[in-house]
Amino acid sequence: MKTHSICVLVVVACAITIGCRHDMQDQPKYKPLGQNRFWADGRDSRPIPAGTIAVDELNADDPTHTGQANGAFLDTIPLPVNMSLLERGRDRFDIFCSPCHGWLGDGNGMVARRGLRAPANLMDQRSRELPPGYVYQVISNGYGAMGDYADQIQDVRDRWAIVAYIKALQLSRGAPLSDVPDDQRAELTGSSTMGGRQ
């Protein structure tokens, strides 16, 4: 008799819990075209705040976002190139580019040292002749074995900063010591590696 009572109790408890089912689709929520008495206009959907841009609605077809103008790659960097931009470019390059391209951009990063496919040597003649807009597009969209970095480097200014730093690296590799101002020449002759890196 005791077992029978327990079975009846379990069946009743199961019936009660099934009857109290509350699915996610039944919970209170705003629906895009639903009504809402809280707002004066009676709509669930709210107007888009001024000055905001949805992720998929960015009008990014200007030269700063594409690296191109009139179907040709930009041959200049569309931002003021100063020490602040170059320092930011070095920082971003060290984080995102050096694992493959190496600290000096010569393609001797950890990826190549570990036996994987060697990335482009950014210091060779071909890479030196590439316009900045092309380099920007490769960073944004990828090329060959290199994937795109648009998601990792979302700020277009950071991408241009990397381009500026690469161009500065390229220029520095072939520049004679006489191009360096006298007051900074001692800094360079005192160390054999860039910033103490190996």
Side-chain angles (χ1 to χ4, degrees):
M1 191 63 158
K2 189 174 183 180
T3 306
H4 179 67
S5 301
I6 292 174
C7 287
V8 169
L9 189 59
V10 168
V11 170
V12 170
C14 288
I16 290 172
T17 56
I18 290 172
C20 293
R21 189 173 145 195
H22 191 70
D23 290 331
M24 287 179 67
Q25 72 263 15
D26 296 330
Q27 67 183 339
K29 62 186 166 288
Y30 296 120
K31 295 183 180 178
L33 300 176
Q35 294 182 350
N36 188 327
R37 290 179 294 186
F38 180 79
W39 304 107
D41 60 8
R43 297 181 304 160
D44 266 350
S45 297
R46 306 311 316 137
I48 297 171
T52 59
I53 301 171
V55 171
D56 58 349
E57 292 180 8
L58 178 64
N59 184 10
D61 58 358
D62 62 290
T64 304
H65 285 86
T66 64
Q68 287 185 303
N70 302 320
F73 294 114
L74 295 179
D75 58 357
T76 59
I77 295 169
L79 301 175
V81 179
N82 52 33
M83 278 310 290
S84 174
L85 186 75
L86 291 174
E87 287 169 359
R88 180 67 176 176
R90 178 182 179 172
D91 179 63
R92 301 290 92 188
F93 182 90
D94 288 353
I95 292 169
F96 296 108
C97 310
S98 68
C100 295
H101 295 284
W103 295 112
L104 301 175
D106 57 6
N108 193 24
M110 291 309 296
V111 166
R113 292 182 194 176
R114 296 219 165 118
L116 299 173
R117 182 176 176 183
N121 176 356
L122 301 176
M123 298 302 120
D124 67 14
Q125 192 59 35
R126 179 192 163 278
S127 295
R128 288 168 165 277
E129 294 171 358
L130 294 173
Y134 179 87
V135 178
Y136 174 87
Q137 280 224 351
V138 171
I139 293 169
S140 301
N141 304 320
Y143 180 79
M146 179 174 160
D148 68 89
Y149 274 72
D151 285 339
Q152 293 89 337
I153 310 168
Q154 294 181 354
D155 189 341
V156 296
R157 291 170 298 190
D158 282 350
R159 292 183 219 164
W160 282 116
I162 292 170
V163 173
Y165 180 68
I166 290 170
K167 289 299 179 184
L169 269 179
Q170 292 169 341
L171 182 63
S172 71
R173 291 298 289 263
L177 190 59
S178 60
D179 285 354
V180 178
D182 293 334
D183 60 331
Q184 296 176 1
R185 210 173 283 173
E187 253 183 75
L188 295 176
T189 55
S191 66
S192 60
T193 59
M194 262 186 74
R197 295 182 191 161
Q198 301 286 329

